[in-house]
Amino acid sequence: FYPAGEYDLAGFAVGAVEKDNIITGTAVASGDVILGLSSSGLHSNGFSLVRKVLLEQGRLDLTAPAGGIGRPLGEELLEPTRIYVPSVLTLLSQVPVKGMAHITGGGIVENIARILPASTEAIIKAGTWTVPPIFQLIQQQGNISDVEMLRTFNLGLGFVVIIAAAHADQAQAVLTAAGEEVQVVGRIITGEPKAVVEGSIFR
């Protein structure tokens, strides 16, 4: 399956939560606020596409900076995934949280849509957070549509939480104190259970 000298290495973690503490998303309602926590980069998602676009097609040098990235491309691609557990646990101990989504494979749109109850829609406002240069480089090198980028990558948002508007400021303060870069990136409205991005992610 793998050529001589090559192998695949994967790791995972398993957690447990008391049944009464599970956040199902059923409490999410129109008027709630969506907070986005910044990612540290690719977070290991979409690497088959990344390798094809940057290395096979683009033949970019892993030892040199590219596309506005201020360090060697190889270092950027190997940036470890940000772990949100400590910050989110701190938040949960202080603020009522209605919904949470880890932005992994499936990107911003699909992961947020999964936690929405019926008759609610998530509106994500483009431009409310910083999209790291690595994503712009991937899109330009591969001529990839915005839709496909949104379906594949976190685009700078590694985790989102949905909070009642009355608790949004407190939640931001708690997450910031915990070391996160956090922004209000959207809102919940009445509609179909889906996530919609308003505006252009890449300007």
Side-chain angles (χ1 to χ4, degrees), residues 28-29 31-35 91 95-99 161-169 171-172 175 188:
V28 172
D32 290 344
V33 170
I34 305 171
L35 301 181
L91 179 68
V95 181
V97 175
K98 294 188 172 189
V161 293
I162 302 177
I163 306 280
H167 298 130
D169 289 344
Q172 275 191 279
L175 290 168
I188 302 296

Side-chain angles (χ1 to χ4, degrees), residues 2-168:
Y2 289 105
E6 294 189 11
Y7 64 94
D8 185 38
L9 178 65
F12 66 94
V14 176
V17 59
E18 294 294 338
K19 189 172 183 179
D20 292 343
N21 293 333
I22 296 175
I23 296 174
T24 63
T26 55
V28 172
S30 178
D32 290 344
V33 170
I34 305 171
L35 301 181
L37 283 64
S38 295
S39 70
S40 57
L42 290 168
H43 285 194
S44 75
N45 296 120
F47 265 83
S48 295
L49 180 59
V50 170
R51 280 192 294 268
K52 179 179 179 181
V53 168
L54 300 187
L55 304 183
E56 295 175 21
Q57 295 177 357
R59 298 187 179 277
L60 298 183
D61 184 353
L62 290 173
T63 65
I69 300 168
R71 59 176 172 172
L73 177 60
E75 290 184 16
E76 179 70 22
L77 297 181
L78 291 174
E79 179 66 32
T81 297
R82 186 165 182 80
I83 304 300
Y84 300 97
V85 173
S87 302
V88 172
L89 287 177
T90 299
L91 179 68
L92 291 171
S93 71
Q94 299 183 45
V95 181
V97 175
K98 294 188 172 189
M100 303 186 295
H102 203 176
I103 309 303
T104 56
I108 294 170
V109 174
E110 291 184 14
N111 283 285
I112 295 176
R114 290 187 187 118
I115 64 170
L116 298 176
S119 302
T120 61
E121 184 172 321
I123 302 297
I124 311 298
K125 184 67 175 175
T128 53
W129 75 92
T130 300
V131 179
I134 182 63
F135 297 110
Q136 296 171 328
L137 176 66
I138 293 166
Q139 184 182 43
Q140 292 165 1
Q141 288 287 321
N143 193 28
I144 303 169
S145 69
D146 284 5
V147 171
E148 188 62 26
M149 291 295 292
L150 282 164
R151 259 201 314 247
T152 307
F153 301 106
N154 67 64
L155 302 181
L157 294 181
F159 199 90
V160 299
V161 293
I162 302 177
I163 306 280
H167 298 130

